Amino acid sequence: MNTKILFRTLIFFFLCITKINAQEVLTIEDAMKIALENNFEIKIAKNNSKISDTNVTIGNAGMLPTATASITDNNSVTNSSQTRQDGTSTSLNNAKNNNLNYGVSLGWTVFDGMKMFARLDQLKELQKLGDSELKRTVLVKIGQVNSAYYDLVQQQQQLAALDTTIVISKQRLTLAQNRFSIGKASKLEVLNAQVDLNSDQVALLRQKESYANAKILLNQYLARDPKVNFTVTNQVSVDSKLVLVDLMDLAQKQNPALESQIINKRIAELQLKQVKADRYPIVNLTSGYNFTESQSSLGFTSSASSKGFNYGFNASINVFDGLNQHRNEKVAKLQIENSQIAIEQQNMILNTQLSTAFQTYLTNLELINLEEDNVTIAKQNLDITLDKFRIGTITTLDFRTAQLNYVNAKVRYSNAQYEAKLSEIALKELAGNINF
C-alpha cells in the first residue's frame, strides 16, 4: 500500500514539474525582441522603408538615358494596278508586299531646369520619411508590448493577493466551524464565513479569466499562437528619474511625428523647385541605329533596304500655358506654408502631451509610495485582527473588513505601479527614447 502511494506521489510530482517547464518565463526584453521579429505591422513598415530605399536611384530621378529596341514587320496581299506616264498599265492579283523595320533608339534629357536633381533630393527625403514611419511604428508597437506585459505583471500580482485572501478565508471558515462544534459560535458565523469564501473564489476565477485574456492579447502583439503559455516576471521597475526638460529636448530630436512633419516641409520645398524648373528649356539628345527592308511584287523597285546611324537633339521651352505655371508655383508655396504650420502644431501637441503625461507620472510615483505604506499598515492590521479573531475578541464583520482592506491595498499598490509604468512608457514613446 505504501509503495502505491509513493508511486502515485512521484507521478504527480513529475506531472507538476513537466507543466512548470512547459511554461516559458517571458522577460520584457524577450517580448520586445519577439515583437521586433514577428509583429505584422512592423514587418509591413520595414518593407515600406525598403521600398523607399529602393526608389532612391538616379534613374528614377530621370538622370540616365533611355534605350528602346523595336521591330516592325508589315505584310500584305493585294490586287494592284498601275498606269504609267506613257499610258501603259500593268496589274497583278495577289501581289505580296513586305516592309521590315528594326533598330535601337536612344533618348537622354541633358537639361530640364535642374528638375532631375530636385527629384533625386526629394526621393532621398521620402526615404527618410519611410525610416521615420518605421521608427514610429516600432515605438508604438513596442509601447503596446510594454503596456500589455506590465498589465500581465499587475494581474499576476492581483492573483497572488486573491490567493492570499482565499487562504485567510479558509482559515476563518475552519475557525468558525471549530468554534461552532464546541458551542462558542452560531451557525450564522459559519455561513457568513462560507459565503465570503465563495465570493473570494468567484473573484479569483474572474481574475484568472482576465489574466488569460491578457496573455492572449500579448501573444497577438508578438504575432504568435494565442495558445502559447508563459509566465511573466513579478516585478514592475519604474524609472523615477525622468526630467521633463530632458524629455522635451529628446522629443525635438527624436519624436517620429515631429520628424515626419519636418521632412514633409523639405519635400514641399523640393516640389517647388521642380515646379520652377518648368520655366527653363528642356534639351534632349536623340540617337539610334535603324534597318529597313521592303519588298514589292509590283512597281519599279521590287526590293529596297537601308541601315544606318542617326543622331540629333531637340529643345523646347514653355512660352505661355494659360498662367498655369504661376498657379502651380503659388500652390507649391502654400503647401510649404502649410508644412511649417503643421510643424508648429505638432510641436504644441507634443509639448502638451509631454507636460500632461509628466504630471500624471509624478502623481503615480507619489501613489506608489503611499500605497506601499498602506499595504504595510493593512498587513499589520490584518495580522492583529486574525489573532484577535482566533481568540474570539472581535466580530466576523471586523475581521472581514480588515481582510478586504489588505486585499484592496495590495490591488491599489499593484495598480499604482502599473499606472506609473504606463506613464513612463508614454513619456519615453513621446521622446522617441524607448530602449529595445
Side-chain angles (χ1 to χ4, degrees):
M1 189 67 177
N2 291 337
T3 305
K4 288 183 178 179
I5 294 173
L6 179 61
F7 180 70
R8 289 175 181 172
T9 304
L10 289 173
I11 291 177
F12 176 75
F13 233 61
F14 175 76
L15 291 174
C16 289
I17 292 172
T18 303
K19 185 176 180 181
I20 291 171
N21 289 336
Q23 287 192 354
E24 166 196 4
V25 179
L26 185 70
T27 65
I28 184 60
E29 291 79 13
D30 291 338
M32 289 190 289
K33 182 179 179 182
I34 293 170
L36 288 172
E37 293 174 354
N38 295 349
N39 184 269
F40 297 118
E41 292 182 49
I42 291 178
K43 284 183 177 180
I44 292 172
K46 284 180 179 178
N47 284 338
N48 288 336
S49 179
K50 289 177 181 177
I51 290 172
S52 300
D53 293 344
T54 305
N55 282 333
V56 183
T57 63
I58 58 176
N60 196 21
M63 293 183 175
L64 297 180
T66 59
T68 304
S70 62
I71 182 170
T72 304
D73 186 11
N74 292 320
N75 297 276
S76 64
V77 179
T78 60
N79 295 328
S80 302
S81 63
Q82 292 181 349
T83 300
R84 301 184 180 90
Q85 291 291 335
D86 59 4
T88 60
S89 63
T90 181
S91 62
L92 180 64
N93 293 329
N94 299 322
K96 295 181 178 180
N97 301 288
N98 171 262
N99 189 6
L100 176 65
N101 292 281
Y102 61 87
V104 177
S105 61
L106 179 71
W108 191 2
T109 300
V110 293
F111 182 77
D112 62 353
M114 311 302 285
K115 180 188 287 188
M116 62 182 75
F117 295 98
R119 173 62 179 163
L120 180 61
D121 290 338
Q122 190 178 58
L123 290 172
K124 292 177 181 178
E125 293 300 320
L126 288 170
Q127 177 189 13
K128 294 178 184 177
L129 188 62
D131 292 340
S132 179
E133 179 60 24
L134 171 60
K135 180 182 176 182
R136 186 197 68 80
T137 302
V138 169
L139 284 172
V140 169
K141 291 302 148 187
I142 291 300
Q144 288 178 343
V145 168
N146 273 268
S147 299
Y149 183 89
Y150 287 108
D151 181 39
L152 268 175
V153 174
Q154 172 204 215
Q155 297 203 38
Q156 191 168 267
Q157 291 173 344
Q158 293 181 10
L159 275 175
L162 289 171
D163 282 333
T164 301
T165 196
I166 284 178
V167 170
I168 296 171
S169 293
K170 286 180 178 179
Q171 290 178 1
R172 174 191 166 193
L173 178 60
T174 301
L175 286 171
Q177 289 172 337
N178 292 337
R179 292 173 62 185
F180 174 72
S181 64
I182 61 176
K184 287 189 176 182
S186 65
K187 183 68 174 178
L188 181 61
E189 184 176 325
V190 176
L191 293 175
N192 284 334
Q194 184 65 63
V195 169
D196 289 339
L197 175 59
N198 291 344
S199 298
D200 293 339
Q201 288 174 333
V202 169
L204 180 62
L205 284 174
R206 293 294 186 192
Q207 184 58 38
K208 285 181 177 179
E209 177 190 1
S210 298
Y211 183 65
N213 289 336
K215 274 188 179 182
I216 293 171
L217 179 61
L218 182 54
N219 277 330
Q220 176 188 327
Y221 290 148
L222 303 184
R224 60 184 190 175
D225 193 329
K227 298 185 184 66
V228 173
N229 200 9
F230 61 94
T231 59
V232 294
T233 57
N234 201 39
Q235 298 295 324
V236 178
S237 177
V238 181
D239 185 354
S240 59
K241 297 181 180 179
L242 298 181
V243 180
L244 181 58
V245 175
D246 295 341
L247 291 170
M248 286 184 169
D249 289 341
L250 283 173
Q252 291 296 317
K253 301 171 185 175
Q254 299 180 169
N255 181 267
L258 180 59
E259 188 179 67
S260 295
Q261 295 296 350
I262 295 172
I263 294 171
N264 281 329
K265 182 187 177 185
R266 178 60 180 158
I267 291 173
E269 291 170 345
L270 291 168
Q271 184 62 37
L272 176 60
K273 280 189 176 183
Q274 294 180 66
V275 171
K276 286 184 174 181
D278 291 335
R279 290 183 176 274
Y280 296 90
I282 298 175
V283 180
N284 296 307
L285 298 180
T286 59
S287 179
Y289 188 88
N290 295 296
F291 176 84
T292 302
E293 181 181 354
S294 62
Q295 294 179 350
S296 176
S297 299
L298 185 66
F300 292 104
T301 304
S302 61
S303 65
S305 66
S306 65
K307 59 183 177 181
F309 177 72
N310 62 79
Y311 57 92
F313 79 95
N314 64 71
S316 63
I317 187 170
N318 177 23
V319 178
F320 182 75
D321 64 351
L323 301 177
N324 284 325
Q325 178 66 30
H326 176 72
R327 177 183 58 81
N328 291 336
E329 289 182 14
K330 187 175 181 180
V331 169
K333 289 177 182 177
L334 288 172
Q335 288 174 339
I336 294 173
E337 185 178 338
N338 282 342
S339 299
Q340 180 60 41
I341 294 172
I343 291 173
E344 295 171 2
Q345 181 187 34
Q346 188 60 46
N347 256 320
M348 179 176 290
I349 292 172
L350 185 57
N351 289 333
T352 301
Q353 289 175 332
L354 279 168
S355 298
T356 54
F358 191 77
Q359 186 57 53
T360 304
Y361 164 77
L362 293 178
T363 302
N364 288 328
L365 288 180
E366 292 182 14
L367 285 174
I368 288 177
N369 295 328
L370 181 61
E371 295 299 348
E372 187 176 15
D373 291 340
N374 285 338
V375 169
T376 303
I377 295 169
K379 181 65 170 64
Q380 292 174 352
N381 182 52
L382 179 61
D383 291 340
I384 295 171
T385 304
L386 183 57
D387 290 338
K388 289 185 176 182
F389 182 74
R390 286 194 180 103
I391 61 177
T393 59
I394 62 170
T395 64
T396 57
L397 180 60
D398 291 334
F399 176 79
R400 183 61 176 175
T401 300
Q403 183 185 10
L404 292 178
N405 285 341
Y406 174 66
V407 173
N408 291 335
K410 291 277 287 184
V411 170
R412 288 197 308 271
Y413 177 53
S414 175
N415 286 338
Q417 287 181 307
Y418 175 60
E419 292 297 331
K421 191 65 181 179
L422 288 184
S423 301
E424 176 200 330
I425 293 167
L427 286 169
K428 289 183 176 180
E429 184 178 328
L430 289 170
N433 196 37
I434 295 181
N435 294 323
F436 52 85

